[in-house]
Amino acid sequence: MKRGPLPGRGPARRESTGLRTGRPARAAQYLALLAYLVFLAFPFVWLISTAFKPARELGSLHPTWIPEQPTLDNFRQAFDEQPLLQAAANSLIAAVGAAVIAVVIATPIAYVMARHRGRLATAATGWVVVSQAFPFVLVIIPLFLVLKNLHMINTLWGLIMVYVVWSLPFALWMLAGYVRAVPAELEEAAAVDGAGRVRTLVSVVAPLLAPGIVATALFAFITAWNEFFFALVLLKTPEKQTLPVVLTHFLGAEGVADLGPLAAAAFLATLPSLVLFALIQRRITGGMTAGAVKN
């Protein structure tokens, strides 16, 4: 008499086979991710190494990863040669102002785009796609003329307006996706309780959009903080220039870079973005997880 397979023996065997076949694929994914991280980290690690190297090591024919005699002279020279603190303050004002204004404008518009399907939403989506295809060079001349007529050339407010307009399409696209992820039943329940559109947006939708709002603000901040071309054209006086523009002053008349101070200043310029992302990324992932649990 033949005995049938023991209960659970077949599925368990198939499951173990699936685990064995899945482990090589997972290992390959981890290796690919590790290679990508190394690729991204290499320029930053080399920048840090260069910032702490003395002039003798910078001119060596056999460069090393770790400085043999680390020094802070490059940082002292960078601060002595250029107004880095003033430039960093200008960049901070422009980046924070652009991020806040972009989020305030984009949130209600993204809500309308996500909840009301029609010609307006289609046109707005088309504007988002088309606006990202235009290079800076095509818009800088009419933009300069508009700001000149408004007497906003060489002002941080003019630069903030440019950053808001430039980051607004992508901010709308990001926030609209977050709005679509919010269950419409919550808004219907709020409407039954007598809440209007504005009250629903402020009290019901906006708290659930917190991760998306933070991510959008972070995107707008980093975009404005790292932007160079608009700041170069629109800001004329040294006391108004932002940090990316001031970094170009470490290049000599013949295009020869003062490598040590330039690396030190560039390293300091990257720190705010890294610190801000490190502080906010937990809230982004934590807010998304909390929202999924509530739903």
Side-chain angles (χ1 to χ4, degrees):
M1 181 176 179
K2 295 183 178 180
R3 295 183 180 180
L6 294 177
R9 179 67 61 87
R13 183 175 301 171
R14 287 194 297 268
E15 183 179 357
S16 62
T17 304
L19 289 176
R20 285 198 297 270
T21 56
R23 285 173 182 172
R26 182 173 299 179
Q29 292 175 355
Y30 285 139
L31 288 177
L33 179 60
L34 179 61
Y36 183 64
L37 291 177
V38 171
F39 174 76
L40 291 180
F42 171 77
F44 186 66
V45 173
W46 190 256
L47 177 67
I48 297 176
S49 176
T50 305
F52 288 95
K53 286 182 179 179
R56 179 180 59 83
E57 293 187 31
L58 290 175
S60 175
L61 296 178
H62 304 283
T64 58
W65 281 93
I66 301 176
E68 297 178 358
Q69 296 179 348
T71 179
L72 295 177
D73 291 340
N74 293 326
F75 294 90
R76 299 190 188 98
Q77 185 177 349
F79 280 99
D80 291 339
E81 292 181 0
Q82 301 297 334
L84 294 180
L85 292 179
Q86 180 63 44
N90 294 337
S91 294
L92 184 63
I93 293 173
V96 172
V100 172
I101 297 175
V103 167
V104 171
I105 296 176
T107 302
I109 300 177
Y111 175 76
V112 174
M113 289 174 55
R115 288 293 186 253
H116 300 280
R117 302 287 183 176
R119 295 182 179 179
L120 180 61
T122 304
T125 304
W127 171 61
V128 170
V129 175
V130 172
S131 63
Q132 299 302 307
F134 280 92
F136 291 171
V137 179
L138 293 181
V139 300
I140 190 60
I141 294 179
L143 187 62
F144 183 87
L145 296 177
V146 170
L147 293 179
K148 182 179 180 180
N149 293 331
L150 296 175
H151 304 285
M152 301 188 73
I153 296 294
N154 197 34
T155 63
L156 290 179
W157 276 112
L159 188 64
I160 289 174
M161 288 181 57
V162 173
Y163 288 163
V164 169
V165 173
W166 196 256
S167 61
L168 193 58
F170 194 76
L172 286 174
W173 181 75
M174 288 183 64
L175 284 176
Y178 280 96
V179 172
R180 294 187 186 99
V182 176
E185 291 79 5
L186 297 177
E187 301 175 35
E188 295 173 359
V192 172
D193 292 337
R197 287 290 185 182
V198 177
R199 179 64 182 276
T200 301
L201 176 61
V202 174
S203 301
V204 178
V205 179
L208 297 177
L209 290 181
I213 291 175
V214 172
T216 303
L218 181 62
F219 159 78
F221 177 88
I222 293 178
T223 301
W225 179 268
N226 296 328
E227 201 281 323
F228 169 75
F229 185 68
F230 288 137
L232 177 66
V233 175
L234 300 178
L235 301 177
K236 301 300 181 182
T237 56
E239 60 271 11
K240 295 294 182 63
Q241 291 178 341
T242 57
L243 198 55
V245 178
V246 172
L247 291 179
T248 62
H249 297 170
F250 290 99
L251 297 176
E254 297 180 357
V256 179
D258 197 356
L259 192 57
L262 175 60
F267 169 64
L268 295 177
T270 59
L271 286 181
S273 299
L274 295 177
V275 172
L276 182 62
F277 182 79
L279 293 176
I280 292 180
Q281 60 91 16
R282 287 187 178 181
R283 296 188 177 183
I284 295 176
T285 55
M288 293 176 65
T289 305
V293 173
K294 290 177 182 178
N295 291 340

